[in-house]
Amino acid sequence: MATVLDQLKQYTTVVADTGDFESIAQYKPTDATTNPSLILAAAGKSQYAPLIDQAIEWAKGQASTVDEQ
């Protein structure tokens, strides 16, 4: 039997308004917001620290000078 969420997905676009990546993975919305305050809140959670560290290292690798870093 289809869940209410599955039924709703048949008629509308389901969008996640959260920075919680686990919730996004669980509910599999069609889209997600990019609200900076939600991303900032998620970035402060210890479970996402490795992602932040990885993003910082990637960005440093893209910079050609210390000022760009």
Side-chain angles (χ1 to χ4, degrees), residues 4 6 9 15 32-33 39-40 56:
V4 173
D6 290 333
K9 286 179 178 181
V15 177
T33 63
I39 302 303
L40 180 60
I56 291 169

Side-chain angles (χ1 to χ4, degrees), residues 8-27:
L8 184 61
K9 286 179 178 181
Q10 293 176 1
Y11 300 102
T12 190
T13 301
V14 175
V15 177
D17 192 20
T18 182
D20 181 3
F21 301 124
E22 291 172 359
S23 292
I24 293 171
Q26 178 182 356
Y27 294 108

